Each structure stands twice: as structure tokens, then as C-alpha cells.
Amino acid sequence: MATVILVRHGRTTANATGMLAGRTPGVGLDQVGRDQAARTGKRLAAVPLVGLVSSPLERCQQTSALILQHQAGSPATTEDADITECDYGQWQGRSLSELALEKLWPVVQAQPSAVIFPGGESMATMQARSVAAIRRHDARIEAEFGPDAVWVAVSHGDIIKSILADALGMHLDLFQRISVGPASASIVRYGPHRPNVFATNTDSGDLSWLRSSALGADAPVGGGSGHAAPQAVRS
């Protein structure tokens, strides 16, 4: 039962201007995004990561580099196209304000399982490939490093939302209820009975409790005793 920390890339130039970047090459972090990713890296410094898997897109690669700067060790790193951004097809590169006028927009909001982006992929396909990739890497990392291993996946907003929806047992049509902000960290532990979602969309707070091996497979009746007191984080 390894633990995965799902990190969205920091804010990009496209985010700042309201453009749907999709898989457009050359979209990188702006200064706000670099600062966000660096803060996330400092938070994660309290956790000895055994691995990092990233989307191949530039903004995720930049975020990953800023996370790795704060790790005392050298986590194994890899890219995986299965956690890359959704293929938005003809929507890619257009402004969100313009896309909000499209007939497909309300379907994206209310029934994403029925959405196939023109010239792109379906949101159901997006979820299937990303969930399968995260579970595959999690099993590999647990087999190599043991059940207390912690690793990071750096990906995109809709990808992480779809992974969290699966972990929460939610239908894809409900995934728009989940928020995943730039450089936020969400924490999932896949167990023998069910996934446990420990956090979603966090951008602050102590993570040193992830060093502990006390995370069990069973849900504590009554809620449990919570985490240990915060430990000092390396700067």
C-alpha cells in the first residue's frame, strides 16, 4: 500500500490568460507558477520520496524539477504519457470564455462521461488511462520499495480530478465537484479493500506524518486519533 501524492503543475502563462493549453508545446510556468511549485517542493521536503512520475509536458517537467530540488535523496524519475493532459482536440488553444459559448460546454459541466472533444479524446478515455497508469506505478513502487513508500505524480487538473473521483468511488459525471488548484497536493493510498483519500487540493500544511508507517489498511472506526505533531521541515 504505497502512497501517492498527486501534484498539479504550477500556474502557467496559459492559465494566467484564460487559454485552454491542452497539449500545446512550449507552455511553461509563469513566475507565480514557479513560486507555487517551489513552495510545494518545500512542503514535500519533509517526505523522503522514492519516486516521481511526470506528465511529459513542459509545465509538469518544470514543476517536477522544483520538487526534486528540495529532496535530500535522489528519487527515481520517469515520464508517462498516460498521465499527460487531456486531448482537447479543436478546443485546444482557445479561450475559456469563447469555449463557454459552445454547445458542448454544458455537457462538460454536467455529464463529462458523455463528452468527446471534437478531434480529441473522450473524458472517459482520459480517466481510464490516467487511473490505470497511477495504479500501475503504485503497484510497481510498492513491489520495489515496500508498503510504506511515498511517491509523487505530477500531472494536470482534469487528470488529477478524474483520479480522485475514481479513488472516492464517484462517477465521472460528478468529478466537476472536485477542485484541484495549481501546484496543489492530493494524497491517495491504495489499499486491499479500497483507496483511502487522505487529502485533496492542499497548498499548505505539514506532510511529515507521511514518514510514519502507521497508515493501516482498515478505516478507523470513529475517525481515529489523527496524525502526529508536525516535524521540522528542511528549508
Side-chain angles (χ1 to χ4, degrees):
M1 295 182 295
T3 300
V4 58
I5 304 174
L6 304 164
V7 175
R8 183 185 169 193
H9 60 79
R11 195 181 84 167
T12 68
T13 52
N15 295 144
T17 59
M19 183 186 86
L20 182 63
R23 299 178 180 181
T24 304
V27 176
L29 304 182
D30 63 8
Q31 186 57 54
V32 170
R34 289 191 288 272
D35 292 343
Q36 291 169 334
R39 285 196 297 271
T40 298
K42 291 178 181 178
R43 287 184 73 202
L44 296 177
V47 187
L49 302 175
V50 301
L52 183 149
V53 180
S54 176
S55 158
L57 293 181
E58 182 177 353
R59 53 196 185 268
C60 290
Q61 294 295 306
Q62 292 174 326
T63 300
S64 298
L66 288 165
I67 290 172
L68 293 170
Q69 282 182 12
H70 296 279
Q71 284 291 305
S74 300
T77 61
T78 186
E79 295 180 11
D80 191 339
D82 282 340
I83 63 168
T84 197
E85 182 62 285
C86 182
D87 183 356
Y88 295 114
Q90 296 171 17
W91 280 33
Q92 179 173 294
R94 297 171 62 189
S95 71
L96 293 173
S97 58
E98 178 186 355
L99 291 172
L101 302 177
E102 293 281 350
K103 291 182 179 180
L104 187 61
W105 182 269
V107 187
V108 173
Q109 302 302 312
Q111 195 182 3
S113 67
V115 170
I116 302 175
F117 290 101
E121 73 178 331
S122 71
M123 299 193 85
T125 298
M126 173 198 76
Q127 182 184 45
R129 64 170 167 82
S130 58
V131 169
I134 292 298
R135 289 178 177 262
R136 181 176 66 249
H137 286 293
D138 194 74
R140 171 183 61 81
I141 286 170
E142 180 179 343
E144 184 174 353
F145 296 99
D148 299 325
V150 182
W151 63 286
V152 166
V154 181
S155 189
H156 308 267
D158 279 350
I159 300 296
I160 294 175
K161 285 167 62 175
S162 72
I163 294 166
L164 289 172
D166 170 76
L168 289 165
M170 296 169 57
H171 194 282
L172 181 59
D173 286 347
L174 303 178
F175 101 132
Q176 299 292 22
R177 301 183 182 194
I178 301 171
S179 294
V180 173
S184 64
S186 302
I187 304 169
V188 178
R189 186 173 173 89
Y190 292 98
H193 308 307
R194 72 191 75 81
N196 289 328
V197 179
F198 286 93
T200 65
N201 194 36
T202 69
D203 57 14
S204 61
D206 170 65
L207 294 176
S208 62
W209 56 273
L210 284 169
R211 295 177 178 178
S212 171
S213 61
L215 299 176
D218 292 331
V221 177
S225 60
H227 307 308
Q231 301 179 25
V233 178
R234 296 188 303 274
S235 60

